[in-house]
Amino acid sequence: MAQYHITLNDELLHGLFTRDEGLAKLLEQVLNQILEAQVEEQLGARRYERTEERKGYRNGSYPRQLTTRVGR
């Protein structure tokens, strides 16, 4: 199983304890970072990186909304 290192900024952590939407923002950041790491792992290269080991290509992305019990 892969290990993921999640990076959070001070504003996000402060919002987690002071605003109602803090948990939703935290969940958004964590999910986006996990999805990005999974894509890099599958392709064998980072975004815009050209390597001989690359296994495929990115087809692009567009914003989507995920509805959870902590918000959108």
Side-chain angles (χ1 to χ4, degrees):
M1 177 180 255
Q3 291 184 349
Y4 299 108
H5 298 279
I6 304 300
T7 304
L8 304 174
N9 61 28
D10 291 337
E11 180 183 342
L12 182 62
L13 287 175
H14 181 69
L16 182 60
F17 298 108
T18 60
R19 295 188 302 252
D20 291 337
E21 70 271 0
L23 190 56
K25 293 286 185 188
L26 174 65
L27 182 60
E28 177 184 356
Q29 288 288 320
V30 169
L31 288 176
N32 282 334
Q33 290 181 37
I34 288 172
L35 290 171
E36 183 68 28
Q38 286 179 336
V39 169
E40 289 177 6
E41 185 178 325
Q42 285 290 322
L43 294 178
R46 291 185 173 174
R47 189 180 294 255
Y48 307 114
E49 181 181 27
R50 306 289 184 244
T51 67
E52 294 295 323
E53 296 82 29
R54 188 178 195 106
K55 300 174 188 166
Y57 298 95
R58 292 174 181 249
N59 290 331
S61 63
Y62 56 91
R64 296 176 180 87
Q65 288 203 354
L66 176 65
T67 303
T68 69
R69 62 188 177 97
V70 297
R72 270 188 196 266

